[in-house]
Amino acid sequence: MSSSSDSESSKPADAPARPPSRDFLAHLEAYLARRDGVDKLLKISRYSARLALAAGPPLPPAAAARLKSFESSVGLSRKAFRLGKFVQSLNALRAHPHPPPALAILACGGEGVYYFLEQFVWLAKAGLLPAHLLPRLQRLSAWAELLGYVGSIAIKLEEVARIESSVKKRLAEGSGEESEAVRTMRGKLLLKRMSVVQDVADAVMALGDVTDGKGLLGSSTLMASAGLLSALISTHKNWNSC
């Protein structure tokens, strides 16, 4: 019998098969085909530019003006990706049992109202709607976004606690840290914690919009860092899910 057959017979029968590696360009194509994929790349670009302006070395006036123009243009471009996105929040709310929990109404409702209003913010910034409507639309949009994140953070913290409890129960039942079930739950726990951090970062930016950037929330470096952190976490999650 050949040595390769001996090697195969020595492997445990229940050993999980290693998933085939995915071609990078095919993966990238699938990522960029998503609305959120392109949006988050734009978000990284925007907040990287904003952070460079806020915390980087001083730039020549012409270069600073070009970077600021780029940042503003990307910010406006991102709003176009929110057209119709409120339907996603509406369907998420409909997926809950009737009547939906209060936190689900707060999270999905706040997010849905935010995305709905952002369509009109985009139209006002693009010049199709009267400019005098913009401040009120932006304020209402910011409040809806903030309330949505409050609900989302509360829900995800409950989920984190539930997963942590499940991990402790598995370990108490004798499952080792290297068991498939515990490793899977640890992975879910990490992703959920990252999602909480992302929501907190976005909530900080929304709070800055609501308060007109007063006090610490007026720090351009803080706001740009929060935006970039949120964008990187979201990009990581979207990349791994497509």
Side-chain angles (χ1 to χ4, degrees):
M1 186 178 293
S2 67
S3 60
S4 60
S5 299
D6 291 339
S7 175
E8 289 175 2
S9 62
S10 64
K11 292 180 180 179
D14 59 347
R18 181 175 298 177
S21 58
R22 188 173 182 183
D23 179 74
F24 173 78
L25 290 180
H27 196 167
L28 181 61
E29 179 185 2
Y31 177 80
L32 294 177
R34 291 185 171 191
R35 180 207 307 243
D36 281 348
V38 177
D39 179 55
K40 298 315 175 189
L41 289 181
L42 290 174
K43 187 174 184 179
I44 290 174
S45 301
R46 183 187 186 194
Y47 286 103
S48 294
R50 184 177 288 188
L51 189 61
L53 288 168
L59 297 173
R66 285 196 298 271
L67 194 57
K68 177 61 179 174
S69 177
F70 168 78
E71 184 267 330
S72 299
S73 177
V74 171
L76 181 59
S77 299
R78 288 191 63 221
K79 294 190 181 299
F81 285 91
R82 292 164 191 170
L83 288 174
K85 199 171 181 180
F86 69 94
V87 177
Q88 172 181 303
S89 305
L90 181 61
N91 285 333
L93 187 59
R94 291 174 60 212
H96 287 276
H98 185 76
L103 285 178
I105 293 175
L106 184 62
C108 299
E111 182 186 62
V113 171
Y114 163 70
Y115 284 131
F116 183 77
L117 291 173
E118 280 292 282
Q119 298 174 119
F120 298 99
V121 171
W122 174 64
L123 292 174
K125 286 194 170 187
L128 189 61
L129 293 181
H132 68 84
L133 296 175
L134 190 56
R136 180 172 295 181
L137 286 170
Q138 287 178 313
R139 177 58 62 89
L140 291 173
S141 173
W143 270 109
E145 182 184 23
L146 179 60
L147 292 175
Y149 281 126
V150 169
S152 179
I153 290 168
I155 290 172
K156 289 173 182 177
L157 286 176
E158 290 180 351
E159 292 172 349
V160 166
R162 188 159 54 246
I163 297 173
E164 288 176 338
S165 177
S166 297
V167 171
K168 290 178 182 178
K169 183 178 178 180
R170 282 281 187 175
L171 293 175
E173 291 173 348
S175 297
E177 284 286 351
E178 296 303 316
S179 68
E180 186 68 23
V182 171
R183 286 194 289 113
T184 298
M185 285 189 287
R186 291 281 192 200
K188 290 181 179 178
L189 183 59
L190 176 61
L191 288 176
K192 193 62 64 175
R193 285 171 173 167
M194 290 173 62
S195 189
V196 171
V197 172
Q198 178 189 346
D199 280 358
V200 169
D202 284 324
V204 167
M205 291 191 293
L207 185 60
D209 292 335
V210 166
T211 60
D212 294 324
K214 294 178 180 177
L216 181 62
L217 296 174
S219 169
S220 298
T221 301
L222 174 63
M223 294 295 107
S225 298
L228 186 56
L229 175 62
S230 169
L232 291 172
I233 292 175
S234 183
T235 299
H236 171 74
K237 290 192 302 180
N238 287 333
W239 179 265
N240 287 337
S241 67
C242 69

